[in-house]
């Protein structure tokens, strides 16, 4: 059974601005999927629909057994805890230290303090930032910020990691660090959905690639390549 | 549940200190807002005193016939006190009236001399009648003008003073009303200024709020710390105002007392110190919490 299922999903902002057009898509547990396409092809909209930040104009989206857009507002936090999101601009809380940023996701879940301490330490170790726990985001480099963001996405042990152009603001060396980290997370059993327009990364990964153009899926291949039109 | 509560409080407290300058700005505007509230409150106490002291001066004097007996005086007094409108009846005997007259004119030898010349007391006994409301005076006057009192009472001075009495009440009523309307408007403005400052503070945190939502925090978990920051700001502003007004009333009380004898505002503040603290805290906390709640609402909507 698929973990995520987009059923003929359209997102229409206005008749002239159709972000997604009848998307049909299944993603299985523990898959590593890259979504590629130019800016404005609909990648970000697709991800926003999945975390219920926006509603589809038509169609349904299933996560596990839940129809995401039939969930009540009060049930959304529960859904979002099963999906860890990593953004291009990191979106860390500037007033919190690295440790607190990561711990926040668990605090929001109401996890006990001892468990938070242990898990956050483990996750920070996994992303290689054990020494920076007390730094504020301002004091970290771009690559470090993104690794903190990944740690935060991971800390409540979600089923899926959504990475929306996580390397967009980073230089090639740091970009590769992030991608290797995502691969490692995938090996640990999480589904990873990576949206990117970095050709080199996609071509080297050798994983499933879904190509979007003007709101449609134009290609969906195992071991795919980044194709330009 | 309990752990969430503790975390919310911890987060609100830490955020308040980490955003020190932003918090300072919020507290400052709230100090001003609460200062206006408290100032209005105290000035209302003062106007109330002023109005009451003016209205207290209004009364109706009943000039009694010279040959009236003690028992008749007691009778009239009792009848008057039976009326619900009457709040006080004061009897001034002939001798008292003379003494008062002498006291009033002690610096005027001519009058004192002519009084000596006259040999006897030319003054009449008087009943001074006070009523709660201005329209009662008319009723009292009409009551005393009944035929059965004709032989006992020479004159009721209401008719002569009718216009002045109603004017005094008109002016003091107008003062009261203007005071209330002005207070409401000023309080509203002060409240809006404080609300806007908090709104801007929360506006500057809108990105953070959206991130918290995406990370899976519930609305109350996000809202709580902001509410607490508002409450801390309100409490701080209230406490500062409490101390400030201690000094302000101490400083201005003598001057005001010159204008309005018997209105010791410092004394009033001292005796109501605890109530003032409660009122200030309630205003500050309500303003802070309510403003934060309203301001954050739009960032928590789906």
């Amino acid at each position: 059974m698929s973990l995520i299922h987009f059923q003929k999903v359209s997102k229409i902002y206005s008749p002239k601005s159709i972000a997604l057009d009848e998307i049909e898509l299944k993603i299985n547990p523990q898959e590593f999927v890259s979504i590629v396409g130019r800016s404005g092809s609909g990648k970000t909209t697709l991800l926003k629909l999945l975390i219920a930040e926006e509603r589809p104009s038509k169609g349904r989206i299933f996560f596990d057994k839940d129809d995401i857009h039939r969930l009540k507002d009060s049930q959304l936090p529960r859904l979002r805890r099963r999906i860890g999101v990593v953004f291009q601009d990191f979106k860390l809380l500037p007033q919190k230290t690295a440790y607190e940023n990561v711990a926040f996701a668990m605090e929001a879940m109401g996890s006990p303090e001892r468990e938070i301490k242990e898990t956050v330490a483990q996750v920070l170790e996994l992303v290689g930032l054990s020494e920076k726990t007390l730094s504020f985001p301002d004091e970290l480099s771009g690559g470090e910020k993104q690794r903190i963001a990944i740690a935060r996405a991971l800390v409540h042990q979600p089923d899926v990691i959504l990475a929306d152009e996580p390397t967009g603001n980073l230089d090639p060396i740091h970009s590769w660090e992030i991608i290797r980290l995502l691969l490692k997370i995938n090996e640990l059993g999480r589904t990873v959905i990576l949206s990117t327009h970095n050709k080199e990364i996609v071509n080297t990964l050798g994983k499933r690639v879904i190509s979007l153009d003007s709101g449609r899926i134009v290609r969906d291949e195992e071991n795919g390549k980044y194709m330009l039109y | 549940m309990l752990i969430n509560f503790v975390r919310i409080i911890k987060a609100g407290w830490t955020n308040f200190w980490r955003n020190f300058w932003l918090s300072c700005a919020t507290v400052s505007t709230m100090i001003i807002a609460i200062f206006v509230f408290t100032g209005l409150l105290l000035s209302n106490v003062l106007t109330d005193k002023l109005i009451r002291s003016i209205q207290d001066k209004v009364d109706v004097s009943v000039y009694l016939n010279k040959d009236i007996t003690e028992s008749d005086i007691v009778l009239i007094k009792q009848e008057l006190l039976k009326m619900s409108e009457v709040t006080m009846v004061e009897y001034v005997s002939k001798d008292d009236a003379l003494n008062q007259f002498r006291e009033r004119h002690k610096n005027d030898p001519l009058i004192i001399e002519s009084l000596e010349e006259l040999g006897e007391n030319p003054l009449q006994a008087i009943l001074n009648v006070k009523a709660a409301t201005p329209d009662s005076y008319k009723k009292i006057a009409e009551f005393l003008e009944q035929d059965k009192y004709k032989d006992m009472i020479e004159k009721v001075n209401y008719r002569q003073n009718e216009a002045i009495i109603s004017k005094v009440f008109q002016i003091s009523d107008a003062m009261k009303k203007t005071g209330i309307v002005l207070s409401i408007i000023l309080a509203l403005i002060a409240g809006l200024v404080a609300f806007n400052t908090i709104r801007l503070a929360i506006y500057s945190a809108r990105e953070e709020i959206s991130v918290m939502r995406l990370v899976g925090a519930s609305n109350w978990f996000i809202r709580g710390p902001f509410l607490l920051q508002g409450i801390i700001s309100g409490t701080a502003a209230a406490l500062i105002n409490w101390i400030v007004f201690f000094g302000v009333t101490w400083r201005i009380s003598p001057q005001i007392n010159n204008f309005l004898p018997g209105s010791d505002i410092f004394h009033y503040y001292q005796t109501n110190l605890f109530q003032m603290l409660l009122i200030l805290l309630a205003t500050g906390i309500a303003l802070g919490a309510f403003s934060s709640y309203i301001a954050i609402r739009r960032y928590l909507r789906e």
Side-chain angles (χ1 to χ4, degrees):
Chain A
M1 205 193 120
S2 60
L3 180 65
I4 295 165
H5 186 187
F6 279 70
Q7 233 176 36
K8 295 198 169 164
V9 172
S10 299
K11 178 71 189 177
I12 301 162
Y13 290 106
S14 73
K16 276 189 185 165
S17 157
I18 299 170
L20 293 176
D21 191 6
E22 304 243 325
I23 295 287
E24 181 71 40
L25 172 64
K26 279 183 182 176
I27 295 171
N28 294 317
Q30 298 176 26
E31 247 188 313
F32 190 116
V33 184
S34 303
I35 298 175
V36 302
R38 281 179 288 205
S39 299
S41 58
K43 302 190 298 282
T44 300
T45 307
L46 195 76
L47 300 186
K48 277 184 175 169
L49 289 174
L50 189 56
I51 52 175
E53 212 189 337
E54 300 214 25
R55 293 184 167 277
S57 312
K58 265 187 253 165
R60 300 166 80 178
I61 303 161
F62 289 94
F63 184 87
D64 233 353
K65 282 162 203 125
D66 293 328
D67 183 340
I68 289 173
H69 297 280
R70 295 223 169 141
L71 292 176
K72 289 189 201 110
D73 281 0
S74 56
Q75 292 172 307
L76 282 181
R78 218 192 65 229
L79 166 79
R80 286 176 178 156
R81 287 169 201 158
R82 298 187 64 188
I83 306 174
V85 194
V86 179
F87 304 91
Q88 180 177 356
D89 55 354
F90 323 128
K91 290 201 194 296
L92 295 176
L93 302 170
Q95 301 291 341
K96 292 189 189 294
T97 63
Y99 176 89
E100 287 166 344
N101 260 289
V102 179
F104 182 81
M106 285 183 84
E107 287 175 356
M109 278 166 68
S111 314
E113 210 63 42
R114 206 159 44 90
E115 193 187 320
I116 294 182
K117 253 187 199 148
E118 274 172 25
T119 320
V120 173
Q122 282 170 12
V123 177
L124 282 174
E125 168 122 41
L126 178 76
V127 300
L129 284 175
S130 295
E131 285 94 57
K132 302 270 184 171
T133 49
L134 294 177
S135 307
F136 285 93
D138 277 353
E139 301 157 3
L140 299 171
S141 74
E144 286 170 335
K145 279 186 218 177
Q146 195 58 296
R147 282 188 279 159
I148 292 293
I150 291 175
R152 176 181 65 187
L154 274 178
V155 77
H156 45 55
Q157 314 196 334
D159 304 311
V160 183
I161 293 284
L162 276 188
D164 187 10
E165 309 214 16
T167 60
N169 284 356
L170 303 178
D171 59 48
I173 293 175
H174 286 115
S175 297
W176 274 108
E177 271 176 15
I178 298 298
I179 296 302
R180 271 197 295 273
L181 196 52
L182 290 173
L183 283 169
K184 193 159 138 197
I185 290 163
N186 180 235
E187 277 163 25
L188 292 172
R190 313 256 178 271
T191 309
V192 174
I193 302 175
L194 167 71
S195 132
T196 183
H197 46 216
N198 188 322
K199 186 178 171 187
E200 196 198 329
I201 286 175
V202 175
N203 291 348
T204 317
L205 277 172
K207 301 274 188 179
R208 180 176 169 196
V209 176
I210 296 165
S211 307
L212 279 178
D213 188 49
S214 309
R216 287 167 183 275
I217 294 177
V218 287
R219 206 180 291 263
D220 182 353
E221 310 164 310
E222 291 302 325
N223 196 359
K225 293 277 182 216
Y226 193 111
M227 305 292 246
L228 278 179
Y229 302 92
Chain B
M1 196 61 211
L2 180 71
I3 195 151
N4 278 342
F5 190 69
V6 172
R7 275 171 190 160
I8 284 172
I9 291 191
K10 226 167 106 184
W13 182 253
T14 335
N15 290 354
F16 182 84
W17 292 107
R18 281 191 187 158
N19 292 301
F20 185 71
W21 289 110
L22 194 64
S23 304
C24 274
T26 319
V27 171
S28 314
T29 27
M30 287 190 80
I31 287 176
I32 294 168
I34 296 174
F35 187 87
V36 173
F37 280 134
T38 323
L40 289 172
L41 195 78
L42 289 177
S43 71
N44 273 339
V45 170
L46 274 181
T47 4
D48 218 50
K49 273 214 166 108
L50 175 69
I51 289 167
R52 216 173 291 158
S53 82
I54 291 172
Q55 293 188 343
D56 249 13
K57 296 215 163 72
V58 173
D59 61 9
V60 169
S61 298
V62 183
Y63 294 89
L64 303 168
N65 264 333
K66 278 184 183 156
D67 45 5
I68 190 169
T69 61
E70 281 292 326
S71 59
D72 280 341
I73 294 170
V74 174
L75 179 83
I76 296 179
K77 199 175 166 181
Q78 276 172 352
E79 290 294 317
L80 277 170
L81 283 172
K82 270 186 207 156
M83 294 178 74
S84 57
E85 290 91 349
V86 174
T87 55
M88 201 186 83
V89 181
E90 183 197 19
Y91 172 58
V92 183
S93 71
K94 271 176 78 159
D95 295 342
D96 290 342
L98 185 66
N99 285 340
Q100 280 176 15
F101 186 82
R102 272 183 204 278
E103 184 61 28
R104 215 178 311 150
H105 297 285
K106 64 181 177 195
N107 297 324
D108 198 338
L110 193 70
I111 291 182
I112 301 294
E113 233 169 78
S114 28
L115 199 63
E116 301 297 330
E117 205 122 307
L118 210 55
E120 60 167 329
N121 185 353
L123 299 171
Q124 298 155 289
I126 304 169
L127 281 176
N128 285 323
V129 185
K130 281 194 175 153
T133 58
D135 19 311
S136 325
Y137 284 107
K138 200 172 179 181
K139 248 186 172 168
I140 295 167
E142 276 162 9
F143 173 78
L144 291 165
E145 280 159 357
Q146 287 176 88
D147 279 346
K148 61 174 175 178
Y149 298 127
K150 224 175 183 177
D151 297 334
M152 306 174 206
I153 293 171
E154 192 181 298
K155 180 175 91 179
V156 178
N157 78 343
Y158 173 71
R159 294 289 168 214
Q160 293 95 304
N161 298 340
E162 198 178 354
I164 297 174
I165 291 178
S166 69
K167 201 82 201 168
V168 165
F169 277 100
Q170 244 174 40
I171 291 172
S172 54
D173 271 357
M175 268 171 72
K176 216 182 229 170
K177 270 179 203 150
T178 325
I180 290 170
V181 171
L182 217 65
S183 302
I184 291 173
I185 292 173
L186 282 174
L188 220 62
I189 293 172
L192 277 178
V193 170
F195 169 63
N196 256 321
T197 316
I198 289 183
R199 220 170 55 121
L200 283 177
I202 289 181
Y203 176 79
S204 74
R206 65 196 186 289
E207 283 279 321
E208 288 183 67
I209 294 170
S210 74
V211 174
M212 291 177 186
R213 284 181 47 191
L214 289 177
V215 176
S218 69
N219 278 355
W220 268 109
F221 199 78
I222 299 171
R223 190 187 288 136
F226 286 98
L227 287 190
L228 188 70
Q229 284 178 73
I231 289 170
I232 295 175
S233 302
T235 310
L239 288 176
I240 290 169
N241 263 300
W242 193 50
I243 295 162
V244 164
F245 266 91
F246 198 82
V248 168
T249 50
W250 173 75
R251 185 76 188 74
I252 63 167
S253 194
Q255 276 96 323
I256 292 179
N257 216 14
N258 285 345
F259 279 112
L260 195 63
S263 69
D264 193 344
I265 192 90
F266 182 56
H267 178 74
Y268 175 85
Y269 194 74
Q270 270 182 309
T271 47
N272 293 299
L273 210 53
F274 189 62
Q275 282 101 310
M276 288 308 289
L277 179 65
L278 282 187
I279 293 174
L280 284 172
L281 279 179
T283 317
I285 289 172
L287 192 63
F290 183 73
S291 302
S292 306
Y293 186 84
I294 300 288
I296 202 170
R297 221 172 39 161
R298 58 179 301 194
Y299 303 112
L300 292 178
R301 278 208 187 114
E302 275 309 302

